[in-house]
Amino acid sequence: MPQEPPQTPRNGSNWPEWGNYIVFTIVLAFVLIANVFIQPRESETTLSYSAMKEIVREGNVQSAILREHDIIVETEAADGEDTRTFRAVIPSLGDPELMKLLEDQGVDVTATEPRDVSILTYMLPWILILGVYLWLQRRMMGGVAGGPGGMAGGLLSGRFSRPAKSTKTLTFEDVAGQDQAKREVAELVEFLRDPGRFNSVGAEVPHGVLLVGPPGTGKTLMAKALAGEADVPFFSTSGSEFIEIFVGVGAGRVRSLFEEARKAAPSIIFIDELDSVGRTRGTGLGGGNDEREQTLNQILAELDGFSEREAVVVLAATNRPDVLDPALLRPGRFDRHVTLNLPDKKARRAILDIHARKLPLEDTGDLDQMASGTPGFSGADLKNLLNEAAISAARRNADLISRRDLDEARDKVMMGTVRTLAIRPEERHRLAVHEAGHTAVCFFTPEADPLYKVTIIPRGHALGGTHSLPESERHTLDESYLRDQLVTLLGGRAAERLFLGTVSSGADDDIRRATSIARAMVARWGMTKELGPIDLRESDEHPFLGRSIAQPRSHSDKIAAEVDHAVIGILNEAEARATATLKDHRSEIEELISSLEAKETLDFDEIQLCLDPERKIKQPQRVTHSVTKIPAVRHAEKPN
């Protein structure tokens, strides 16, 4: 029966667990020896030698013990007092009168035999101390030969995984929604399985593949699936593992990692969060001597190298490709870039199918609506959504995960947990008016996304919300769609002004989002005749996270004023359209407000019953059933 390879401790060192018991045994032996040779003294009073002789002359001494270097006497007990013990050191030259004085006073004298202690006995504790010191020094330096078993060896080896044949627990079948990325990465599988076939014709497969994409899109999962498909050793580490406080440790770890990968070739090296160590050089406080830059230089040398790297593929993942050093991205290093985008509706359904394989769903068709209602969700977000749904079902002691659990999980992930908030009646009415305004404008606006539900139940930082389900994925945003979005965003504020006569701070997020869209229409996409097609933005978007990075303004104050004027015009026009829509359907909206205050949450059918009871307005197809289906997993019936 084959034996499993020895497990490597988590700290990256080869120090066995039983080594701790050896250290404990050495320390215990030292304590016992010290206890033997350093005997505790009895409770006694130390006197000068002259004072000791005076006590003997007074005739109060009952007994005396003569030892090699001192004398201990015990006085007679007086009425009501205990005996007392005194000690004095005998002069090194001796005192011949001492024995005569003790005999004259009738003292019972006892002499102890001198201990025959060799010099080795005295030196044994120091030998143990020296041995422990040398052992610790050997551990710190990695042994006499500088082997990997020491602490320095552990620092240099890092915490990357040791080579072990993959059990194919993960394959490309476990990666859904990234078909294009899988096709690009799959080309490496054949090379790893049969590198000689490629080398015989002089073909070189890219040795460096950079996986880029937003967080949670499956970059690490793709690398593990590649290792599972190729069935080769997989070395996994993070960019931050290379950086330590000790100078040169990072570069040493890089050398150790690549050396072990070459020994196990064909193999895969995966470096997660490459941006933590691969940032553009020259930006650190330490200049060229910065530890991070030294580590990056070693990575560049290993990728490019003077020695041939046979059948070793290096994968790296990052969500910040914009900060990487250009030398990392040149041909011969990470020359192939594979982008993993956020999944579209079809991909989201495929991802939900994978994560729902072992979940007891009441109806697998509910996943269609979840796929439609989760635009912008990554694979990790979808997995978390299903887990929250399972938790919700378990909380109510249900055997199956229902659509109610999925809806609750979606709302919790998108907006937060339901809050218990004491809201005054007038505030609750204003909140219903605000959300009814959003809902009505969205319902009556032609190109707005189809409504899903509206609620005035506080969640997270929001006091309420109007939810829409996009009919289809949009890859470009046309001007009419954007203007309809602005009308929907400002519908809540317009409803407050129309029905209540004043506006409130509840439109804070609506105004912020509307202003951002309007400014992008003017300064980025050239959707105004006055300014035309010119880039006037004052910040750049992060390539994946969507955050803005401020940059110096490159246009005049006059142009900036024209941009502001155009943005204000677009927003005022959108608010005017929203107000006109609300006035045209005032009675229906009042019915919606009353129903929303009574029920707190309305789905689409209830919204339509208030705004369009005769169903005169044609609604788009709400749910498109996907082709992919999974069988429902049901629990066995419980015995009676």
Side-chain angles (χ1 to χ4, degrees), residues 11 17 53 65 79 95 147 152 161 296 358 380 599 605:
N11 61 2
E17 295 183 359
K53 293 179 69 175
I65 300 175
D79 293 340
D95 185 0
S161 61
L296 174 58
K358 298 181 180 179
K599 297 182 180 179
D605 293 334

Side-chain angles (χ1 to χ4, degrees), residues 251-273:
R253 286 184 174 178
V254 172
R255 287 191 295 268
S256 177
L257 173 61
F258 278 84
E259 181 181 353
E260 293 204 27
R262 292 190 186 100
K263 293 178 181 178
S267 60
I268 296 175
I269 296 176
F270 176 61
I271 305 175
D272 202 4
E273 304 296 342

Side-chain angles (χ1 to χ4, degrees), residues 563-633:
V563 171
D564 294 339
H565 184 267
V567 170
I568 294 173
I570 291 176
L571 294 176
N572 287 336
E573 179 186 351
E575 187 176 26
R577 282 183 56 192
T579 303
T581 301
L582 295 173
K583 288 182 178 179
D584 293 340
H585 304 278
R586 184 168 188 140
S587 59
E588 293 92 336
I589 297 172
E590 289 177 347
E591 178 68 22
L592 178 63
I593 294 172
S594 300
S595 182
L596 187 57
E597 283 189 275
K599 297 182 180 179
E600 292 188 332
T601 299
L602 302 176
D603 59 17
F604 175 76
D605 293 334
E606 294 171 317
I607 295 172
Q608 189 176 37
L609 186 62
C610 295
L611 299 179
D612 185 24
E614 299 181 2
R615 301 179 184 272
K616 295 180 179 180
I617 302 176
K618 183 180 179 181
Q619 296 296 325
Q621 180 69 30
R622 303 192 56 76
V623 176
T624 303
H625 293 284
S626 70
V627 177
T628 308
K629 294 291 182 182
I630 59 175
V633 180

Side-chain angles (χ1 to χ4, degrees), residues 208-213 219 239 271-283 292-293 296 299-300 303 315-330 333-338 542-544:
V209 179
L210 184 64
L211 305 176
V212 297
K219 298 182 291 292
I271 305 175
D272 202 4
E273 304 296 342
L274 181 64
D275 51 276
S276 62
V277 70
R279 290 177 177 264
T280 302
R281 288 170 290 182
T283 59
R292 181 185 57 80
E293 295 190 4
L296 174 58
I299 292 177
L300 295 175
L303 287 171
L315 274 76
T318 182
N319 53 34
R320 293 298 307 272
D322 55 312
V323 302
L324 294 181
D325 193 282
L328 273 174
L329 308 179
R330 76 157 177 82
R333 289 170 179 161
F334 288 108
D335 49 4
R336 174 171 292 191
H337 302 167
V338 178
H542 184 280
F544 296 117

Side-chain angles (χ1 to χ4, degrees), residues 387-398 404-406 408-409:
N387 184 62
E388 290 291 345
I391 293 174
S392 176
R395 189 181 296 117
R396 60 186 183 87
N397 296 323
R404 168 189 170 186
D405 299 314
L406 293 171
E408 173 65 23

